[in-house]
Amino acid sequence: MTTVALIHAHNEEGTISEVVAAARAQVDEVIVVVDNCTDRTAELAHAAGASYMVTAGNTAKKAGALNYALDALLPRLQSTDAILVQDADSVLDPAFVEVARGE
């Protein structure tokens, strides 16, 4: 089972490095959805070890950005895989994914 963290970010350069680090410690892959950013969020997410997708002109806010990312992500996942969706201003507790899986 693969677990992918999908992190929505809009101008979150102040927190993105810590958020990505916390997620990387618990999941197999971290993707940051860089949504209409005007700061260094993408650069810092990449430096922290995440891949990223950039929205341009998204007017549907968080939902539009996440749907954009899910359209690209879902075709390559299996039915047993999991997606963790979170905001870029929240840092996961170190045991979050383990507890959520019931392990």
Side-chain angles (χ1 to χ4, degrees):
M1 176 168 130
T2 297
T3 302
V4 178
L6 193 57
I7 302 172
H8 175 264
H10 174 73
N11 292 337
E12 298 288 356
E13 69 181 7
T15 58
I16 196 64
S17 297
E18 182 181 9
V19 171
V20 168
R24 284 190 67 221
Q26 299 182 59
V27 301
D28 302 297
E29 180 180 3
V30 177
I31 302 170
V32 176
V33 185
V34 181
D35 187 24
N36 292 320
C37 289
T38 58
D39 67 0
R40 297 176 41 226
T41 297
E43 175 186 337
L44 294 171
H46 182 70
S51 59
Y52 63 90
M53 305 172 80
V54 178
T55 66
N58 173 35
T59 59
K61 301 186 179 187
K62 186 188 308 185
L66 291 172
N67 284 334
Y68 168 76
L70 288 168
D71 283 346
L73 179 61
L74 287 174
R76 69 176 174 88
L77 295 180
Q78 303 297 313
S79 62
T80 56
D81 294 337
I83 301 171
L84 166 72
V85 177
Q86 75 171 86
D87 288 338
D89 59 358
S90 301
V91 178
L92 289 179
D93 180 89
F96 181 86
V97 172
E98 179 183 355
V99 170
R101 286 183 184 154
E103 297 174 351

